[in-house]
Amino acid sequence: MNVGDLVKLPPGCCNHWSLPIGIAVLVEKTPREDKLEYDWLVFVDGRYIGLGRQIEQTAELVSESR
């Protein structure tokens, strides 16, 4: 997954953040200081939220950026 991609977030993530639709744009990779390297900043349902990079395995790619 890359910056600018459009993804559908998994149901658990949508429930946790109270996201009615859960279609997100990947905005940027934000650095971490542990072995996980980075998190994702996403824009979803009119707001920015930070999600762990685990979404790369659980989110469904809707549209790739170019």
Side-chain angles (χ1 to χ4, degrees):
M1 293 190 173
N2 298 301
V3 171
D5 288 354
L6 193 64
V7 297
K8 180 169 177 37
L9 299 174
C13 182
C14 293
N15 289 338
H16 174 77
W17 289 96
S18 300
L19 304 171
I21 298 172
I23 301 295
V25 175
L26 302 178
V27 176
E28 70 177 332
K29 290 180 179 179
T30 57
R32 295 176 55 119
E33 295 184 13
D34 60 14
K35 66 179 182 169
L36 296 177
E37 299 176 52
Y38 61 88
D39 287 330
W40 278 105
L41 178 66
V42 302
F43 184 72
V44 56
D45 293 328
R47 59 187 166 148
Y48 291 94
I49 59 173
L51 299 174
R53 71 182 246 187
Q54 296 89 335
I55 65 164
E56 293 176 355
Q57 286 79 45
T58 57
E60 177 185 340
L61 184 63
V62 175
S63 178
E64 289 182 280
S65 65
R66 295 191 181 217

